[in-house]
Amino acid sequence: MNAALQLEEFFLTRLDVTCEPPSEEKQETGGQTSIGFDYDVANHIDEPLRRRMDFRFKLQEQTADQKPLGFRLTVEIVGFFTIGDQIPPEKVELQTRVNGVSVLYGILRGLVANVTGSFPVGKLVLPTVMPQDIVNDVERRKAEERNKEAAKLPHESIKSSEGI
């Protein structure tokens, strides 16, 4: 059985990991973790069933009063995919995004756990996520950004030739 999306190759383009070990003062104040996702997808010029996904992930651990605590990550990974021909054409873009996020985030989870295992506070295991939720959030945000940009463009008056 062919995979809906086959990973052909991937590359890290950025891996920034910073760790602020907690002091006793910071440990007592509690903390929070914020994570963010983003991506861009590009189609191959000559091969309609090939895609490139640039996937970006950020994580920031901090105290309740917004001071750095624990890990800060900025990771970017590029994946090159081939789309299985069994995917209906109307679902190709959604499946590319959902499966691409799933594959690349899975790779990142292993890399981050491996790299952070050498830090004094111990290994960071990234949380399990729902790729569909990430895709929905990223696509909603991108649509809002496009709408804001479109609203900034000057609107020209349209003259109708009817009734003249």
Side-chain angles (χ1 to χ4, degrees):
M1 182 173 166
N2 290 337
L5 193 70
Q6 180 66 43
L7 178 66
E8 300 295 335
E9 186 63 85
F10 68 91
F11 303 98
L12 279 176
T13 55
R14 183 175 185 177
L15 177 60
D16 293 332
V17 181
T18 304
C19 180
E20 170 106 16
S23 64
E24 286 183 29
E25 172 190 329
K26 288 183 179 178
Q27 283 180 329
E28 294 174 8
T29 63
Q32 59 189 22
T33 302
S34 62
I35 60 175
F37 300 92
D38 197 13
Y39 59 77
D40 293 307
V41 177
N43 299 347
H44 193 280
I45 294 172
D46 298 323
E47 298 179 42
L49 294 179
R50 297 196 68 207
R51 298 290 188 276
R52 170 187 170 141
M53 176 178 272
D54 293 55
F55 182 74
R56 295 174 292 280
F57 172 78
K58 286 189 176 190
L59 176 137
Q60 171 81 42
E61 293 180 320
Q62 54 198 15
T63 63
D65 57 351
Q66 309 295 313
K67 292 180 183 171
L69 170 68
F71 287 105
R72 287 186 307 281
L73 303 171
T74 302
V75 186
E76 297 175 10
I77 186 170
V78 176
F80 294 92
F81 297 92
T82 300
I83 300 165
D85 57 6
Q86 75 277 14
I87 299 176
E90 68 275 7
K91 294 187 177 184
V92 164
E93 297 309 320
L94 177 62
Q95 289 297 311
T96 298
R97 284 158 175 75
V98 171
N99 291 338
V101 164
S102 180
V103 168
L104 295 177
Y105 184 70
I107 291 168
L108 288 182
R109 289 185 81 210
L111 291 170
V112 167
N114 194 20
V115 169
T116 59
S118 299
F119 281 79
V121 297
K123 174 173 63 175
L124 173 65
V125 177
L126 295 179
T128 303
V129 297
M130 295 296 295
Q132 180 70 44
D133 292 345
I134 293 169
V135 170
N136 289 340
D137 182 55
V138 169
E139 294 300 322
R140 178 192 49 76
R141 195 172 61 245
K142 287 179 182 274
E144 288 172 359
E145 290 169 6
R146 284 190 300 271
N147 289 340
K148 285 180 186 176
E149 288 301 314
K152 292 179 185 177
L153 296 175
H155 297 285
E156 294 182 18
S157 300
I158 299 175
K159 296 182 181 178
S160 172
S161 60
E162 292 182 87
I164 294 183

